[in-house]
Amino acid sequence: MKIIIDQDRCVASGQCVMAADDVFDQRDEDGIVVLLNADPSPGRLADVRQAALVCPALAITVEE
């Protein structure tokens, strides 16, 4: 799995962090998404996919 984030599209909603807080975080200064773990365990795949689905800006892409 490859996780791609587009910080330019991010609107700082925090939905990704709520879905997978060990994979995504937000910058303190503006709330923009930060990728914490580019290679999460297979057990986290569903949460990472959910984070991509709930992102209102479509700033997260998951490639299998």
Side-chain angles (χ1 to χ4, degrees), residues 1-3 14-25 34-54 60-64:
M1 164 180 29
K2 180 177 181 182
I3 304 167
Q15 298 300 308
C16 57
V17 177
M18 293 194 318
D21 64 354
D22 59 329
V23 179
F24 304 102
D25 200 359
V34 176
L35 184 61
L36 295 177
N37 184 358
D39 189 26
S41 68
R44 298 298 288 155
L45 180 57
D47 292 332
V48 172
R49 284 185 186 141
Q50 180 66 21
L53 286 172
V54 299
I60 301 169
T61 304
V62 179
E63 294 180 352
E64 304 295 328

